[in-house]
Amino acid sequence: MQSKEKQFVQDFYTSGFHKDTSLLEKYLHEDATIYWNSSSGFSKLDFEDFSRMSSDLGKSYEGLSCEITHLLQEDNKVAIRFTYHANTIEDPEEDGALAHFMCIWEIKDNKLYEGYLISQPGDDSEENISSFLPKN
């Protein structure tokens, strides 16, 4: 049985907040901070920064889906590993890996409070795809 915190994090990433940023109020703490290390460098985002970025993301892609491969919890912290797959407005039939992510979220007041995010550009290499599959 999945904990309510893990379910909450999973629900956030599958909610479609990038198309409807009003959903962020349900999931993201008003004092949230996201510390993001990406291939383009470090960013520190607050609620408003994240909301703007999410809105831009929703405008850039026709569809965006989240493939979650790992969801772990210790106390009030939930770690998630996932890949965003996207199709562009220009080519809505082509779905490809946009980026791979790992994030550790601290839950406070039943919302996402501090996130420590690492991302890298997505790829569909066989080795990377097989890393998502369960080991026998």
Side-chain angles (χ1 to χ4, degrees):
M1 183 154 138
Q2 185 161 275
S3 75
K4 67 177 184 164
E5 294 87 0
K6 285 169 51 177
Q7 186 65 55
F8 185 74
V9 171
Q10 179 176 324
D11 290 349
F12 169 64
Y13 284 102
T14 59
S15 71
F17 66 86
H18 60 283
K19 288 289 187 186
D20 179 3
T21 57
S22 71
L23 290 170
L24 291 175
E25 293 177 13
K26 175 180 178 182
Y27 294 101
L28 209 56
H29 195 283
E30 64 183 7
D31 297 323
T33 305
I34 297 96
Y35 304 92
W36 186 3
N37 289 282
S38 72
S39 57
S40 61
F42 175 77
S43 299
K44 182 179 176 183
L45 308 170
D46 63 15
F47 184 99
E48 293 303 319
D49 297 328
F50 192 82
S51 181
R52 276 191 297 277
M53 183 193 65
S54 298
S55 178
D56 291 344
L57 190 62
K59 293 173 188 170
S60 299
Y61 297 98
E62 183 70 20
L64 189 67
S65 62
C66 182
E67 178 183 17
I68 299 169
T69 60
H70 297 79
L71 199 56
L72 308 168
Q73 181 176 3
E74 182 176 306
D75 300 323
N76 69 331
K77 293 181 178 64
V78 176
I80 184 169
R81 178 184 184 228
F82 63 96
T83 297
Y84 272 134
H85 296 273
N87 41 1
T88 62
I89 294 167
E90 296 82 11
D91 192 0
E93 300 303 315
E94 183 63 33
D95 186 40
L98 177 63
H100 307 292
F101 296 87
M102 282 284 308
C103 190
I104 302 170
W105 279 107
E106 178 183 343
I107 309 294
K108 180 179 175 181
D109 302 328
N110 298 311
K111 292 194 175 188
L112 305 173
Y113 179 65
E114 280 190 340
Y116 299 88
L117 182 65
I118 297 174
S119 66
Q120 65 182 37
D123 67 77
D124 292 318
S125 70
E126 185 175 328
E127 293 85 9
N128 195 31
I129 292 171
S130 67
S131 73
F132 291 124
L133 302 175
K135 306 288 188 254
N136 290 333

